[in-house]
Amino acid sequence: MEVVDHETPSLENGKTDKEVEENANVLQFMDSMDAYLTLIHSLSSTLRRGWLELASARHSMGASRVNTVLLDHTSHPAATSLLVTQDEGKVDSGKPHFTLCKWASSSNENSLFGEKQSSQDKLHPQLRHRGSTELYEEKTSSENKASREVDDPVQKERSKSLSMFGTLVSPKLRAAQLSFEH
Amino acid sequence: MDTVVGFLMAGVGNVDLRRKTNYLIVDSKTTVKQIEDTFKEFTTREDIAVVLISQYVANMIRFLVDSYNKPVPAILEIPSKDHPYDPAHDSVLSRVKYLFSAESVASGRR
């Protein structure tokens, strides 16, 4: 793609401020596209892994135990949600910010696990970044205890989610759950 | 169907008091009209920020998906299990292609 106008001189001092800004925007646009494509590829491979694990679980547990028929149709809120805030006080106020709140049950107000902010460009939506591995891989002594405390409620929520498939679930199903979470 | 089951296991399923779900499972019995109506409903609901749609299902309602312009809820096309991701049909990438082709036509004219 040709972005330089051949009629104006191509030296830096020949470019107007407007052209410099346009070039910067184009570069940012290309970077966003590159990030989008990279994320799409990693999403594809994670999804493939999740499907494979789900199929393995279905194979070991039986098709009747891993089925949409078992889905919970009683009223329940989503355990994982996305918070959208608008940038205020900034020049470009059109960009919404997305914050992923994983496994935050409505009864537990302090349970914003795996929170990660990601800024959203209007034209090029980015995938939500997962923060859970950062949370669980903290190794400092003061934070070890905190991460253990955080683990239990999250594990409970995860088990609750898997409970629709029965009390004893295949490890493959748990692995599939983690893949889809990511 | 597997995609929906997987994401529900990850905890994104919501069923409200009127037993309305925030997901739609598309199978051989689902009509295009149902998909269109669900898409319109999800994109107008205030409590939905991101809509994940399989590329295979998005192709059935391509016109609606491509004409959608709002940033929130964001539409994200994900690969279908039986149909690998096709960048030629992705609505974001096709807009980019359109932008670039418009630019190259414009710069060719100069």
Side-chain angles (χ1 to χ4, degrees), chain A residues 129-148:
Chain A
H129 297 283
R130 58 180 174 87
S132 59
T133 50
E134 288 167 14
L135 192 64
Y136 300 145
E137 287 165 6
E138 292 287 356
K139 288 298 173 199
T140 59
S141 55
S142 57
E143 283 158 333
N144 245 346
K145 189 176 170 211
S147 66
R148 264 201 297 272

Side-chain angles (χ1 to χ4, degrees), chain A residues 24-35:
Chain A
N25 285 340
V26 168
L27 268 173
Q28 193 184 15
F29 181 81
M30 298 297 277
D31 281 341
S32 301
M33 283 315 303
D34 184 57

Side-chain angles (χ1 to χ4, degrees), chain B residues 60-100:
Chain B
M60 292 189 215
I61 53 166
R62 183 49 63 197
F63 177 71
L64 259 185
V65 173
D66 283 351
S67 62
Y68 180 79
N69 274 327
K70 297 182 233 158
V72 176
I75 309 293
L76 180 62
E77 284 182 46
I78 59 178
S80 315
K81 190 173 111 173
D82 304 317
H83 304 87
Y85 176 70
D86 181 5
H89 285 112
D90 185 289
S91 60
V92 171
L93 292 179
S94 58
R95 272 173 229 238
V96 172
K97 206 165 128 186
Y98 174 75
L99 267 175
F100 280 140

Side-chain angles (χ1 to χ4, degrees), chain A residues 5-42:
Chain A
D5 189 344
H6 290 292
E7 288 177 16
T8 57
S10 56
L11 301 172
E12 282 85 353
N13 46 11
K15 288 188 179 173
T16 60
D17 283 343
K18 193 179 166 194
E19 280 170 356
V20 168
E21 198 190 323
E22 275 175 7
N23 285 342
N25 285 340
V26 168
L27 268 173
Q28 193 184 15
F29 181 81
M30 298 297 277
D31 281 341
S32 301
M33 283 315 303
D34 184 57
Y36 177 79
L37 286 169
T38 310
L39 286 170
I40 286 277
H41 286 130
S42 89

